[in-house]
Amino acid sequence: MHTGLSRQSAKFQARSAFTGVGYATKESENIVNHPLRRRIIMLLMLLGNAGIVSVVATLMLTMVDSHEDPFNLPLSARVGLLVAGIILVTIIFNSKIVNRWLSRVINFALQKYTSLNVKDYSGLLHLAGEYEISEIFIEKDDWLAEKKLAELALPREGLFILGINRKNGSYLGIPRHDTQICPGDTLIIYGRASAIISLSERKKGSKGDFERWLSEKENKKISKEEALQDQGIIKPANERNGPRPD
């Protein structure tokens, strides 16, 4: 993740290498072509092949053969300790405090021993709360298809088009208001996750226009609340109880 991959991609690739699944994807090619990522993947492969077999064999012997246990605990107690250990490890490695500490250690190591430009890409893009960057593939019957950005007026819904991957393989960064969305395009879009999902599922016709009106209304309400939070008039939703003000 600290080499520039998103958390989801890093988790998927790390688990694939550790378990030996080895999915062949475009992200896998980016990892193999990156010296530091390639070293991490090689280490995970070695640990996965040597570690999983050894751990499983040791656990089986410990569970079955009581002579391997120096405390001579009954089988039920050993199983209970094993389950408790797994739960403890899961809690530790899902802890935000542990994650922050590990992030600092990894950042320090990368900055000191590599020439990699280490950045927190999520923080750089201000991705927090419900906001995210996502992709939407345009089909012929989509509400977005065959319309210009000026006509769509997506900022009214709190959505912003960052770029367009055209069907012919070309890329258009920061598209203009007169740019037309065509079937087969892939939009790079920023905004609230719920609004992005609603937009991606919206079809042509009066129903789509009505869903657009509802989305604009919801965005006005959220924008008003965020403005009040910015002015310190109300607290953020995660710091207060009760319904959100209209």
Side-chain angles (χ1 to χ4, degrees):
M1 185 179 67
H2 286 268
T3 63
L5 290 178
S6 67
R7 179 181 295 274
Q8 293 82 359
S9 297
K11 182 184 294 184
F12 177 81
Q13 296 297 335
R15 290 182 178 179
S16 297
F18 188 75
T19 57
V21 175
Y23 281 99
T25 63
K26 186 177 293 185
E27 287 180 351
S28 301
E29 295 178 3
N30 292 335
I31 289 175
V32 173
N33 294 329
H34 193 291
L36 182 57
R37 294 174 186 169
R38 185 166 60 244
R39 291 174 60 185
I40 295 172
I41 290 296
M42 289 173 61
L43 179 61
L44 287 172
M45 288 177 176
L46 292 174
L47 291 175
N49 284 287
I52 293 178
V53 175
S54 302
V55 169
V56 171
T58 303
L59 287 175
M60 291 298 295
L61 288 173
T62 304
M63 292 295 107
V64 174
D65 190 357
S66 61
H67 297 291
E68 296 290 334
D69 183 7
F71 300 102
N72 198 24
L73 296 174
L75 179 61
S76 59
R78 280 178 278 164
V79 172
L81 287 173
L82 175 61
V83 172
I86 293 173
I87 293 174
L88 180 61
V89 170
T90 303
I91 293 174
I92 290 175
F93 284 97
N94 282 283
S95 169
K96 293 182 178 179
I97 297 176
V98 173
N99 184 60
R100 284 197 297 267
W101 181 80
L102 287 175
S103 295
R104 292 172 183 172
V105 172
I106 293 171
N107 277 334
F108 173 78
L110 291 176
Q111 291 173 355
K112 185 172 182 180
Y113 300 109
T114 73
S115 59
L116 184 68
N117 185 18
V118 181
K119 293 182 180 179
D120 182 355
Y121 290 94
S122 292
L124 181 65
L125 295 170
H126 303 287
L127 301 183
E130 196 189 356
Y131 289 89
E132 66 178 25
I133 292 178
S134 186
E135 293 183 340
I136 296 180
F137 179 77
I138 306 301
E139 297 181 354
K140 192 173 182 179
D141 60 341
D142 286 345
W143 182 80
L144 292 165
E146 300 174 350
K147 292 181 180 178
K148 295 183 178 180
L149 291 182
E151 180 184 358
L152 295 172
L154 294 178
R156 295 181 184 176
E157 301 181 52
L159 300 172
F160 300 89
I161 303 297
L162 304 181
I164 301 175
N165 281 312
R166 292 295 194 185
K167 186 178 181 179
N168 60 6
S170 64
Y171 179 77
L172 180 61
I174 314 179
R176 298 162 54 91
H177 291 294
D178 57 354
T179 301
Q180 184 164 333
I181 308 299
C182 304
D185 290 346
T186 299
L187 308 183
I188 313 299
I189 188 168
Y190 172 81
R192 291 179 292 108
S194 59
I196 294 175
I197 293 173
S198 175
L199 182 65
S200 65
E201 297 175 349
R202 193 178 303 169
K203 302 300 179 182
K204 290 182 178 180
S206 57
K207 183 179 179 181
D209 294 335
F210 178 69
E211 291 175 352
R212 182 255 187 93
W213 177 80
L214 290 177
S215 180
E216 290 182 356
K217 184 178 180 181
E218 177 67 15
N219 183 62
K220 287 181 180 179
K221 183 186 297 184
I222 293 175
S223 298
K224 181 180 179 181
E225 179 182 350
E226 290 177 346
L228 292 175
Q229 292 174 9
D230 184 53
Q231 297 170 17
I233 298 176
I234 63 173
K235 295 181 179 180
N238 59 354
E239 297 181 8
R240 57 184 168 81
N241 297 319
R244 185 172 60 199
D246 292 331

